[in-house]
Amino acid sequence: MGVPLAFLYAETDTMAEAILTLGLLSKPEQRKAVADLKARLAQASAGRAGS
């Protein structure tokens, strides 16, 4: 099929799209993208905790 196995198990279309997109990146780019997402999540969590 040419897609990562995780794509077939994604619970939402958005998750499937994210998996496909990450799969197009090089390994270093994948690590950076995941680190960026984690940073955004931490920032959002901190913002909610401060409210």
Side-chain angles (χ1 to χ4, degrees), residues 3 26 32 35 44 48 51:
V3 297
S26 67
K32 182 177 182 334
R48 285 192 298 268
S51 297

Side-chain angles (χ1 to χ4, degrees), residues 26-38:
S26 67
K27 299 297 182 205
E29 290 171 323
Q30 288 176 9
R31 285 190 288 275
K32 182 177 182 334
V34 170
D36 291 346
L37 285 170
K38 286 181 175 182

Side-chain angles (χ1 to χ4, degrees), residues 6-28:
F7 170 83
L8 301 174
Y9 292 96
E11 293 184 18
T12 65
D13 289 345
T14 302
M15 289 296 294
E17 185 177 0
I19 291 164
L20 286 177
T21 302
L22 282 170
L24 295 172
L25 300 174
S26 67
K27 299 297 182 205

